[in-house]
């Protein structure tokens, strides 16, 4: 029976993620896929998790591991995060931290907490598709977050008021963003903070990839910069989202929020209403594994993924025709490619799949679906040899498509 006629109006903005739909096609063994955005399972710290799960299920611990727990999260994990945040220049206490089921859940909660229908969310153009998916349910209007935007904050506020709401937050991923791989400079981070101040809105700093830097020097988190300005996390408008998905394993669904206590308290109420708590045993395992191997494990990932990133950048230089450009990231998992104007990456994907290579067309990452000539390539999931072979195949497909486009023009 179809119950479509009963679905709430807000469901009209919920559509299947283009990426997830695409991933269903990628089970064939010969395909070289640059489409996913996921860590290489060969590098999950499996043995450390096996030990941690065994310990959690021991006679002494099972009563805690299999029991309900607090909504705020497992205390030793929150304490590990306090110490981790200190290394990032973010002094905070346990009460500034909420454990979530991945940072995706935090995005949903923040949408629920901050967006009234018609309010404006400032987002990157393009931005993380999952953030748009999470926010869409709360029916925001989107405006462009661009540090080089020279509109006055008053103009942005006026446009938001004319749309029937106000600017509630700026959402961004300052390090190796998904999908562009771009890292904001320190000046750009300052500009975002100043603009949020002028608009009196929150800043949602999504740090999903922050630990995965392969080149260059680490830059301070926006929250760290704001604490330096204000002297106290309690005076900060930045809400920092961390995740163990890209560093340890996404399947356990453990992430965290760091923010001023009143924000955390409200998020705790949101979590109580939604799912009570993040799975206790998963939090215990992550706490143990983080304590035992986080630093050494992240070092390994940086070495492996860094080589893959460079293999992809070299292969792009070798195989892409003139007119195709890309952004060189310093970390993360993605290279963002722009095809000549007038080309449609979705059409190129059809040909690429026929040549057994896959990627994600970039239009999906724009709130307005524009920029059809862009595409996202993932380098974390393939060996260097596969990356070289896959980019050679893709280069040939794009060369052919460009020939066809120029013939038609
Ligand atoms: C920028 C960004 N934020 C958040 C997430 C969600 O991660 P998780 O919910 O696994 O922590 C992802 C996952 O791909 C991402 O790319």
């Amino acid at each position: 029976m179809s119950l479509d006629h009963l679905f709430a109006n807000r469901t009209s903005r919920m559509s299947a993620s283009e990426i997830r739909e695409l991933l269903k096609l990628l089970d064939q063994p010969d395909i070289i896929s640059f489409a996913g955005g996921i860590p290489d399972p060969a590098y999950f710290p499996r043995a450390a998790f096996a030990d941690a799960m065994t310990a959690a299920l021991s006679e002494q611990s099972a009563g805690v591991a299999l029991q309900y727990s607090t909504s705020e999260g497992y205390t030793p994990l929150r304490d590990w995060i306090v110490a981790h945040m200190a290394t990032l220049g973010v002094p905070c206490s346990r009460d500034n931290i909420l454990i979530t089921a991945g940072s995706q859940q935090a995005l949903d909660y923040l949408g629920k907490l901050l967006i009234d229908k018609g309010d404006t969310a400032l987002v990157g153009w393009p931005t993380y598709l999952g953030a748009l998916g999470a926010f869409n349910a709360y029916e925001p209007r989107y405006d462009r977050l661009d540090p080089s935007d020279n509109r006055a904050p008053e103009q942005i506020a006026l446009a938001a008021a004319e749309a029937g709401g106000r600017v509630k937050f700026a959402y961004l991923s300052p390090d190796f963003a998904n999908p562009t791989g771009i890292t904001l400079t320190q000046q750009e981070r300052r500009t975002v903070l100043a603009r949020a101040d002028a608009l009196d809105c929150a800043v949602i700093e999504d740090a999903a990839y922050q630990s995965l830097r392969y080149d260059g020097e680490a830059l301070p988190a926006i929250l760290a910069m704001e604490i330096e300005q204000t002297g106290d996390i309690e005076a900060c408008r930045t809400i920092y989202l961390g995740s163990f998905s890209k560093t340890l394993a996404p399947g356990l669904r453990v992430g965290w929020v760091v923010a001023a206590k009143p924000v955390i308290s409200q998020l705790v109420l949101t979590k109580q209403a939604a799912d009570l708590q993040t799975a206790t045993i998963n939090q215990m395992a992550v706490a143990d594994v983080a304590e035992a191997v986080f630093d050494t494990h992240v070092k390994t990932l940086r070495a492996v993924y860094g080589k893959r990133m460079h293999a992809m950048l070299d292969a792009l230089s070798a195989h892409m025709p003139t007119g195709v450009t890309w952004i060189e990231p310093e970390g993360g998992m993605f290279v963002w490619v722009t095809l000549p104007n007038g080309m449609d990456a979705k059409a190129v994907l059809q040909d690429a799949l026929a040549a057994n290579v896959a990627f994600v067309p970039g239009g999906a990452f724009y709130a307005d679906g524009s920029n059809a000539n862009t595409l996202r390539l993932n380098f974390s999931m393939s060996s260097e040899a596969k990356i070289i072979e896959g980019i050679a195949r893709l280069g040939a497909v794009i060369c052919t498509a460009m020939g066809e486009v120029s013939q038609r023009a």
Side-chain angles (χ1 to χ4, degrees), residues 37 101-104 107 128 171 173 178 206 208-209 243 245-246 253:
S103 46
Q104 190 64 33
L107 292 171
Y128 169 50
Y171 164 77
S173 203
N178 178 4
D206 182 338
Y209 299 92
S243 174
S245 290
K246 316 296 179 185
R253 311 305 303 129

Side-chain angles (χ1 to χ4, degrees), residues 97-148:
I97 290 162
L98 168 70
I99 307 294
T100 54
S103 46
Q104 190 64 33
Q105 183 174 60
L107 292 171
D108 175 47
Y109 288 177
L110 288 168
K112 200 179 235 180
L113 196 63
L114 295 169
I115 301 169
D116 281 317
K117 185 176 176 178
D119 276 338
T120 292
L122 302 179
V123 297
W125 227 262
T127 193
Y128 169 50
L129 190 55
L132 295 178
F135 301 148
N136 277 347
Y138 304 101
E139 304 179 87
R141 159 188 176 264
Y142 294 110
D143 199 348
R144 198 180 276 249
L145 174 67
D146 174 358
S148 63

Side-chain angles (χ1 to χ4, degrees), residues 156-383:
I156 297 169
L158 185 65
E162 280 169 0
R166 55 163 297 172
V167 179
K168 284 292 179 68
F169 61 80
Y171 164 77
L172 76 165
S173 203
D175 298 283
F176 334 119
N178 178 4
T180 60
I182 289 175
T183 297
L184 294 193
T185 64
Q186 212 159 324
Q187 183 51 46
E188 287 168 333
R189 291 167 200 236
R190 245 179 250 122
T191 303
V192 169
L193 269 179
R195 197 159 307 161
D197 229 22
L199 290 164
D200 186 22
C201 71
V203 174
I204 301 177
E205 177 176 24
D206 182 338
Y209 299 92
Q210 189 173 44
S211 300
L212 298 180
R213 175 177 279 281
Y214 321 128
D215 291 342
E217 292 296 315
L219 287 166
I222 293 178
L223 179 55
M225 292 174 67
E226 197 183 3
I227 292 175
E228 213 173 270
Q229 282 173 14
T230 62
D232 186 357
I233 191 171
E234 298 307 324
C236 289
R237 59 178 71 253
T238 303
I239 302 167
Y240 176 103
L241 311 186
S243 174
F244 290 104
S245 290
K246 316 296 179 185
T247 48
L248 296 182
L252 290 141
R253 311 305 303 129
V254 181
W256 70 94
V257 183
V258 188
K261 284 175 200 153
V263 178
I264 295 295
S265 302
Q266 199 61 41
L267 285 170
V268 167
L269 295 180
T270 310
K271 189 159 179 66
Q272 277 168 4
D275 69 344
L276 300 179
Q277 59 157 112
T278 300
T280 318
I281 191 168
N282 293 4
Q283 295 186 67
M284 289 174 80
V286 166
D288 260 19
V289 173
E291 182 67 38
V293 305
F294 187 85
D295 289 344
T296 50
H297 188 65
V298 166
K299 220 181 206 175
T300 304
L301 293 182
R302 282 191 190 136
V304 173
Y305 293 161
K307 278 193 202 142
R308 291 177 181 182
M309 179 181 82
H310 285 289
M312 182 168 274
L313 292 173
D314 291 348
L316 285 166
S317 294
H319 296 291
M320 285 297 147
T322 311
V324 176
T325 58
W326 56 93
I327 294 170
E328 294 204 355
E330 293 188 329
M333 294 188 174
F334 307 108
V335 178
W336 183 248
V337 177
T338 302
L339 304 174
N341 274 335
M343 287 189 76
D344 181 354
K346 273 193 196 166
V348 174
L349 178 61
Q350 298 308 322
D351 301 338
L353 287 171
N356 274 341
V357 59
F359 58 83
V360 181
F365 299 97
Y366 290 85
D368 60 0
S370 60
N371 292 271
N373 62 324
T374 54
L375 57 102
R376 189 191 74 178
L377 300 175
N378 163 266
F379 55 77
S380 60
M381 274 295 284
S382 309
S383 67

